[in-house]
């Protein structure tokens, strides 16, 4: 059968989800401590690894953002209080890992890396400021994932780097990023849920939207759509593995 593509109505829903996610907000630094911003700027401009307390701060900021987004979703609001709390406490950490991997996508220059985190406007401002301070090499600067840790050599295994790359470079646009995040958010595996069926249905809904979106995008090459969807589904497991690896590293810090 012909792979079903996304309808206009569904596409509007996806665009609405992207809007709800705040993906394209121009400035996103109001929820960041000045000290955290300063540490991020040092990481970009002077290649200073992010100190342990700043890593924690950054993850807390991202977790808070995702909790806010989740609470805005109609699907989430329809769940029982207990299931909402369970999803927030268990699955948000995985979304944080996906976002961090996306920031350290090795295909991106620092500009693109930090737009999802800080917003276009803030990155432009920072770029101007750093150029006025004559910081060299900004045009082809990439901030590597190892800067997220204080003792990179011991900790960043090849497996971890490869996992960051696979997770970070999977989504090719905002719609894919938001939809895969929702598939992870509503993943019922290992959760203690009162209404498991309902959560499964919500997850299936977003997975189906993602599949249709990919079918539409790669309609001239259906094979690409199938393999990208499969690797997207695989990402759900990957970000959980990633979380475990990083947790083990955190204990070593």
């Amino acid at each position: 059968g012909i792979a079903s593509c996304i309808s206009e109505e569904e596409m509007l829903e996806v665009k609405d989800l992207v809007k709800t996610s705040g993906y394209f907000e121009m400035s996103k630094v109001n929820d960041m401590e000045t000290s955290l911003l300063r540490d991020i700027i040092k990481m970009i401009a002077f290649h200073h690894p992010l100190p342990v307390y700043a890593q924690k701060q950054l993850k807390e900021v991202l977790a808070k953002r995702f909790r806010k987004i989740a609470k805005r979703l109609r699907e989430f609001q329809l769940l029982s209080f207990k299931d909402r709390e369970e999803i927030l406490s268990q699955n948000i950490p995985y979304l944080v890992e996906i976002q961090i991997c996306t920031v350290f996508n090795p295909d991106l220059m620092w500009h693109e890396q930090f737009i999802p985190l800080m917003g276009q406007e803030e990155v432009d401002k920072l770029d101007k400021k750093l150029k006025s301070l004559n910081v060299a090499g900004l045009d082809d600067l990439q901030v590597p994932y190892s800067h997220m840790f204080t003792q990179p050599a011991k900790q960043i295994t090849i497996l971890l780097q490869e996992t960051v790359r696979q997770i970070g470079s999977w989504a090719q646009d905002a719609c894919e990023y938001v939809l895969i995040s929702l598939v992870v958010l509503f993943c019922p595996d290992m959760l203690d849920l009162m209404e498991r069926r309902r959560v499964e249905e919500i997850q299936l809904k977003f997975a189906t939207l993602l599949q249709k979106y990919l079918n539409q995008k790669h309609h001239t090459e259906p094979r690409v759509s199938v393999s990208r969807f499969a690797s997207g589904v695989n990402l759900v497991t990957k970000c959980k593995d990633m979380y475990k690896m990083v947790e083990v590293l955190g204990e070593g810090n």
Side-chain angles (χ1 to χ4, degrees):
I2 295 169
S4 63
C5 286
I6 198 158
S7 69
E8 267 177 64
E9 199 179 329
E10 288 167 328
M11 199 56 225
L12 283 173
E13 184 177 359
V14 171
K15 290 199 163 128
D16 210 40
L17 289 166
V18 171
K19 207 176 162 192
T20 304
S21 79
Y23 190 92
F24 287 117
E25 270 168 33
M26 292 303 280
S27 171
K28 305 188 191 187
V29 294
N30 292 341
D31 57 359
M32 290 182 169
E33 297 280 342
T34 321
S35 64
L36 174 59
L37 280 169
R38 209 174 292 133
D39 285 323
I40 289 174
I41 291 166
K42 281 183 191 162
M43 175 168 74
I44 295 169
F46 309 115
H47 319 292
H48 288 194
L50 212 53
V52 177
Y53 61 83
Q55 296 167 30
K56 272 211 178 80
Q57 267 181 319
L58 177 61
K59 289 189 174 185
E60 274 159 23
V61 165
L62 295 176
K64 214 180 251 167
R65 285 181 188 176
F66 282 122
R67 282 198 290 272
K68 255 191 190 152
I69 295 163
K71 287 171 182 172
R72 285 187 204 132
L73 297 168
R74 200 175 37 108
E75 289 80 1
F76 185 79
Q77 293 160 4
L78 294 172
L79 296 171
S80 69
F81 176 76
K82 187 188 167 297
D83 286 356
R84 291 198 305 257
E85 289 301 301
E86 177 73 359
I87 284 172
L88 293 178
S89 69
Q90 300 299 316
N91 287 353
I92 295 274
Y94 303 138
L95 294 184
V96 170
E97 291 308 325
I98 293 179
Q99 170 126 45
I100 287 172
C101 290
T102 307
V103 169
F104 294 99
N105 173 357
D107 301 335
L108 301 181
M109 292 297 158
W110 80 272
H111 245 186
E112 282 78 43
Q113 283 183 276
F114 288 90
I115 287 171
L117 210 58
M118 300 163 74
Q120 177 86 51
E121 210 174 283
E122 301 300 327
V123 171
D124 290 345
K125 267 195 265 184
L126 178 58
D127 189 41
K128 277 200 188 86
K129 187 176 177 173
L130 295 177
K131 281 187 172 142
S132 75
L133 296 171
N134 294 322
V135 175
L138 280 178
D139 292 331
D140 48 9
L141 174 69
Q142 287 183 305
V143 182
Y145 181 73
S146 56
H147 281 8
M148 268 292 288
F149 292 99
T150 34
Q151 309 157 295
K154 283 198 294 216
Q155 298 184 321
I156 306 296
T157 61
I158 289 168
L159 174 66
L160 183 58
Q161 251 166 339
E162 184 53 24
T163 308
V164 171
R165 194 189 61 73
Q166 287 169 341
I167 297 173
S169 58
W170 184 82
Q172 293 174 4
D173 61 36
C175 298
E176 294 180 9
Y177 176 78
V178 170
L179 289 171
I180 198 69
S181 299
L182 291 169
V183 171
V184 171
L185 179 66
F186 290 102
C187 181
D189 307 347
M190 313 295 291
L191 299 194
D192 178 17
L193 297 166
M194 288 170 75
E195 302 175 284
R196 177 170 297 275
R197 274 306 306 235
R198 194 175 229 182
V199 177
E200 283 169 358
E201 278 160 17
I202 297 170
Q203 190 196 32
L204 181 62
K205 175 197 157 162
F206 290 125
T208 307
L209 276 176
L210 177 61
Q211 192 171 26
K212 289 179 172 181
Y213 179 79
L214 292 170
N215 288 345
Q216 177 83 28
K217 188 175 182 175
H218 302 288
H219 64 94
T220 54
E221 311 167 281
R223 272 225 193 80
V224 173
S225 174
V226 170
S227 79
R228 289 209 57 225
F229 182 70
S231 59
V233 171
N234 195 16
L235 212 68
V236 180
T237 322
K238 275 212 159 54
C239 65
K240 294 180 182 186
D241 297 342
M242 174 82 197
Y243 178 72
K244 288 192 196 92
M245 283 191 256
V246 171
E247 228 182 1
V248 171
L249 295 187
E251 288 159 9
N253 252 337

